[in-house]
């Protein structure tokens, strides 16, 4: 979780623009029909989404989907037809960083007490956890289902792991994931919010979760400033990742040379253990404070080990310098962080809104800049999670949103209703309600 940031003006670093093509390619529908359905599920009935405008194209097209994948050519006989009514079709967004286990979403209002340090917030985490009448699985499901209705196709969910919670957060999110299996792809991170070393018993819980196959990634948090054990924490976390073949996703909030030291330790261990492409660092507040030369060097070193980064655009002075990082080939994703929990009453798990916040915080105004905000949540976050892009070409996953609007920049600003959310070629939400 991210403490409230200091205030300082920042500049959007930008990102690669969404593709503008509406060509659906030349591959045959028979090829897509022969492909196995995602996740080994039973083949789904072919669907034709009629009269839609990918990326706000001027001319509407018909999109054929077979087993959750975009196909080309004529639709097979008997395909289901869904009329898009000329609506814009945009890739569903990916939430690369969220904490569903902490949320009070859907429950009674929670009054919060003053807090300044991570230790203060973690203490209130425990208080709220004990006060909740609904189990993690129910609260997480409510929030994750809401995210689906707002156009989220996938999320990386961080679940607190500490003696105060045991593995309740991991297990609760896993249960919610199973309930939403047809509508949402979810990766689970065992996140030691209370510290790996400073809170005895946490390290064992992390290993228990990894050994049992409950998680996709093992987490860490501020190895120097919070855990006071740089080498011990990083060695433990990376050894677990190596031993149990899971990824790493570490929260890093330090804005000074301590953050730089941690990044260097992460780069070194990624290389030593051949974990290239399996490591993510979240928040990384030290990067915006680096000199241009130091930032360029660090970006190149992160890219060399394919270490991904995520930002939740928490403030003008702490949002990542996206363009510089992407120029060097660093994968950068966008997330929504905590939602209505002990840390903050704010948050809504709406990634369209998060793209809007990114634009506001970075003070953009040009169409290409606004479109870039959307791209970070679509392609950037997909890259972080290792998911294919949604480009509406043959072979693309049929994970998209249909909505009324003029163009992508206007949608980022005005946030129109998501009229229809499609996942794996199936309509999973209409007009803000889960189907």
């Amino acid at each position: 979780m991210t403490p409230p940031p200091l205030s300082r003006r920042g500049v959007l670093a930008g990102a690669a623009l969404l593709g503008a093509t509406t060509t659906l390619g030349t591959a045959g529908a028979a090829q897509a029909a022969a492909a196995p359905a995602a996740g080994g599920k039973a083949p789904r009935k072919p669907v034709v989404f009629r009269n839609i405008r990918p990326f706000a194209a001027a001319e509407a097209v018909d999109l054929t989907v077979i087993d959750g994948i975009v196909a080309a050519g004529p639709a097979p006989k008997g395909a289901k037809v869904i009329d898009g009514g000329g609506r814009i079709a945009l890739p569903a967004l990916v939430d690369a960083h969220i904490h569903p286990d902490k949320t009070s979403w859907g429950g009674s209002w929670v009054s919060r007490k003053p807090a300044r340090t991570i230790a203060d917030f973690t203490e209130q985490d425990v208080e709220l956890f004990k006060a909740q009448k609904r189990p993690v699985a129910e609260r997480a499901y409510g929030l994750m289902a809401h995210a689906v209705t707002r156009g989220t196709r996938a999320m990386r969910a961080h679940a607190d792991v500490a003696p105060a919670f045991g593995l309740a957060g991991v297990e609760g999110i896993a249960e919610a994931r199973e309930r939403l299996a047809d509508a949402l792809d979810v990766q689970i991170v065992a996140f030691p919010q209370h510290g790996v070393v400073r809170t005895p018993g946490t390290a064992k819980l992390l290993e228990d979760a990894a050994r049992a196959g409950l998680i996709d990634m093992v987490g860490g948090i501020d190895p120097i400033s919070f855990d006071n054990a740089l080498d011990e924490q990083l060695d433990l976390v990376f050894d677990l990742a190596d031993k149990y073949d899971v990824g790493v996703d570490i929260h890093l909030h330090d804005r000074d040379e301590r953050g730089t030291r941690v990044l260097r330790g992460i780069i070194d261990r990624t290389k030593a253990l051949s974990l290239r492409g399996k490591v993510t660092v979240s928040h990384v507040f030290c990067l915006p404070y680096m000199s241009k030369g130091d930032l360029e060097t660090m970006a190149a070193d992160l890219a060399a080990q394919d270490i991904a980064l995520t930002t939740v655009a928490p403030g003008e002075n702490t949002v990542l310098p996206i363009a510089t990082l992407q120029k060097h080939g660093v994968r950068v994703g966008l997330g929504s962080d905590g939602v209505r929990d002990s840390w903050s009453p704010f948050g809504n798990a709406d990634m369209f809104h998060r793209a809007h916040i990114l634009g506001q915080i970075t003070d953009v105004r040009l169409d290409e800049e606004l479109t870039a905000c959307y791209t970070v949540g679509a392609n950037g976050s997909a890259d972080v999670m290792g998911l294919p892009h949604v480009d509406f070409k043959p072979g693309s996953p049929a994970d998209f949103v249909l909505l009324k609007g003029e163009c992508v920049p206007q949608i980022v600003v005005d946030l129109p209703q998501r009229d229809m959310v499609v996942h794996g070629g199936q309509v999973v939400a209409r007009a803000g309600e889960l189907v």
Side-chain angles (χ1 to χ4, degrees):
M1 295 291 289
T2 311
L6 302 175
S7 177
R8 194 183 76 176
R9 186 176 183 80
V11 179
L12 176 68
L17 299 182
L18 283 163
T21 178
T22 61
T23 301
L24 300 183
T26 59
Q31 288 181 315
K41 298 176 182 177
R44 298 169 176 173
K45 184 175 182 179
V47 182
V48 176
F49 291 89
R50 182 156 292 163
N51 192 23
I52 66 172
R53 297 189 293 127
F55 301 119
E59 298 294 328
V61 298
D62 294 347
L63 191 74
T64 299
V65 177
I66 299 176
D67 287 342
I69 303 297
V70 175
K77 185 178 180 180
K80 181 179 180 180
V81 177
I82 297 176
D83 188 359
R87 287 174 174 80
I88 291 174
L90 292 180
L93 294 175
V94 175
D95 192 331
H97 188 103
I98 187 172
H99 295 261
D101 63 313
K102 295 177 181 284
T103 192
S104 62
W105 185 269
S108 302
W109 178 255
V110 174
S111 297
R112 291 151 187 87
K113 299 183 298 185
R116 293 186 59 84
T117 67
I118 291 179
D120 292 338
F121 285 107
T122 57
E123 181 179 336
Q124 292 189 31
D125 279 339
V126 177
E127 294 174 2
L128 181 59
F129 176 79
K130 292 180 177 178
Q132 291 291 317
K133 296 180 180 179
R134 298 175 299 149
V136 172
E138 182 180 337
R139 291 184 283 112
Y141 172 81
L143 182 63
M144 292 159 67
H146 172 76
V148 170
T149 69
R150 296 310 185 262
T152 295
R153 64 183 275 223
M155 63 173 55
R156 180 174 290 175
H158 294 256
D160 279 10
V161 170
F165 316 114
L167 296 179
V170 168
E171 293 167 347
I173 292 177
E175 183 176 329
R177 172 173 65 179
E178 181 63 25
R179 291 180 65 186
L180 290 166
D182 291 330
L184 183 70
D185 299 323
V186 181
Q187 293 175 353
I188 301 177
V189 184
F191 173 49
Q193 177 78 82
H194 295 188
V196 176
V197 177
R198 67 181 280 158
T199 305
T202 300
K204 181 180 183 301
L205 286 168
L206 292 175
E207 181 158 19
D208 289 346
R211 183 190 300 113
L214 296 174
I215 60 173
D216 302 287
M217 314 191 81
V218 60
I221 181 171
D222 297 328
I224 297 177
S225 62
F226 185 62
D227 225 8
N228 301 310
L230 172 61
D231 291 329
E232 189 175 355
Q233 182 189 131
L234 291 184
D235 286 346
L236 190 149
V237 168
F238 275 81
D239 286 348
L240 288 177
D242 183 47
K243 181 178 180 180
Y244 294 104
D245 192 25
V246 295
V248 172
D249 194 327
I250 294 179
H251 285 53
L252 183 57
H253 304 102
D254 297 317
R255 309 172 193 209
D256 51 24
E257 57 84 23
R258 292 174 297 181
T260 304
R261 286 175 57 197
V262 172
L263 277 181
R264 285 292 166 201
I266 289 172
I267 291 169
D268 291 344
R269 286 165 176 80
T270 302
K271 183 176 181 179
L273 293 172
S274 300
L275 292 176
R276 189 179 188 279
K278 297 185 67 175
V279 176
T280 301
V281 190
S282 297
H283 307 310
V284 212
F285 291 162
C286 60
L287 290 181
Y289 287 88
M290 286 184 176
S291 68
K292 181 179 179 181
D294 288 345
L295 175 61
E296 296 275 355
T297 299
M298 182 65 77
D301 291 344
L302 290 167
Q305 297 306 317
D306 194 17
I307 294 171
L309 307 177
T310 61
T311 184
V312 298
E316 293 174 328
N317 61 325
T318 47
V319 64
L320 289 175
I322 297 171
T324 299
L325 293 164
Q326 290 188 331
K327 180 183 71 175
H328 286 276
V330 179
R331 292 176 289 137
V332 184
L334 183 66
S336 58
D337 209 17
V339 178
R340 204 161 300 180
D341 52 26
S342 63
W343 291 62
S344 173
F346 295 102
N348 55 17
D350 183 341
M351 285 301 296
F352 276 72
H353 186 230
R354 187 58 52 169
H356 175 101
I357 289 173
L358 177 62
Q360 278 193 317
I361 282 176
T362 50
D363 195 27
V364 303
R365 58 191 299 273
L366 304 181
D367 283 1
E368 57 266 30
E369 294 172 326
L370 290 164
T371 300
C373 292
Y374 194 89
T375 306
V376 176
N379 297 344
S381 294
D383 290 340
V384 169
M385 287 188 61
L387 300 172
H389 293 184
V390 177
D391 59 10
F392 300 99
K393 297 178 182 178
S396 165
D399 298 343
F400 56 89
V401 182
L402 296 179
L403 69 177
K404 296 178 181 178
E406 296 180 59
C407 57
V408 177
Q410 176 263 327
I411 288 169
V412 169
V413 170
D414 290 342
L415 303 176
Q417 175 179 273
R418 272 108 290 171
D419 294 332
M420 196 178 302
V421 180
V422 177
H423 188 82
Q426 306 298 306
V427 177
V428 295
R430 291 179 184 270
E433 296 293 332
L434 201 65
V435 175

